[in-house]
Amino acid sequence: MIHWPEEYKWKIGTNQEDETVHFMELVPEKESIDNWTIIGTMMSLKNVTGMPMDKAMNLFFDQTKTNAPEAKLTVIEKNETDKNHWILFKVEVEKYLDDPKPESQLYYIIQGESSLYVNLVGIKEKKISKPFETKWSAIFKGSKIMFQ
């Protein structure tokens, strides 16, 4: 459970689920999934357990690099000593092979009992500013795993 800041007036842009993954994207109410300035993404990778945090991070970074070879990865913080291992990192992209516009993401991945949870916020910027990083790091680290 993440408290997405109300200032953006989020709405669900995409919500898909099957037996392996639940994928949801949030955009500000006046924007769309095809035209946004900030986007929030939540993924539950079902039945994925015991994955080292560096491996999880690299899976997402490698996926970005296929379309943005110049992408930059920065680990912000990780914890592999608590029960629920987690990692916080950012991926900054100046341009994609098929799109000259920049897009950078701040990721928070946490291991649950039976699923791996991947949360991220993306912006149309070449770099993630320190205030943005600080704000969203606190939001993600303040989230909780809940069973329903």
Side-chain angles (χ1 to χ4, degrees):
M1 183 175 93
I2 296 170
H3 176 73
W4 293 90
E6 294 174 18
E7 68 197 79
Y8 298 103
K9 297 182 170 84
W10 299 101
K11 69 178 181 185
I12 295 173
T14 305
N15 189 2
Q16 303 170 11
E17 185 170 13
D18 62 26
E19 57 280 342
T20 61
V21 67
H22 185 189
F23 178 83
M24 185 182 296
E25 291 176 303
L26 306 171
V27 293
E29 69 177 354
K30 292 186 170 39
E31 298 180 8
S32 73
I33 205 69
D34 297 318
N35 187 16
W36 50 266
T37 56
I38 185 168
I39 189 167
T41 304
M42 296 179 285
M43 281 181 268
S44 302
L45 305 178
K46 300 174 184 178
N47 301 312
V48 175
T49 60
M51 181 180 292
M53 291 295 102
D54 286 341
K55 181 176 181 183
M57 174 187 69
N58 285 322
L59 284 172
F60 286 94
F61 181 58
D62 290 345
Q63 188 176 18
T64 300
K65 283 189 71 161
T66 60
N67 198 23
E70 307 284 316
K72 183 177 175 227
L73 172 68
T74 306
V75 175
I76 298 166
E77 190 177 352
K78 71 178 174 177
N79 183 326
E80 293 183 308
T81 57
D82 289 348
K83 176 184 171 201
N84 299 104
H85 295 184
W86 57 267
I87 190 164
L88 190 61
F89 63 95
K90 61 185 176 182
V91 176
E92 296 170 311
V93 178
E94 287 194 29
K95 65 180 180 179
Y96 288 86
L97 294 175
D98 61 357
D99 188 351
K101 296 185 193 99
E103 182 185 321
S104 297
Q105 301 92 20
L106 182 74
Y107 283 81
Y108 177 69
I109 301 177
I110 185 166
Q111 180 65 65
E113 294 273 327
S114 61
S115 297
L116 186 69
Y117 299 99
V118 180
N119 305 284
L120 64 112
V121 61
I123 54 172
K124 303 277 187 176
E125 301 287 337
K126 293 178 183 179
K127 296 196 175 298
I128 291 176
S129 70
K130 195 63 179 169
F132 187 91
E133 178 183 316
T134 301
K135 173 183 178 172
W136 284 94
S137 295
I139 290 166
F140 287 147
K141 287 171 60 179
S143 65
K144 295 185 178 11
I145 295 176
M146 307 198 49
F147 297 99
Q148 296 182 327

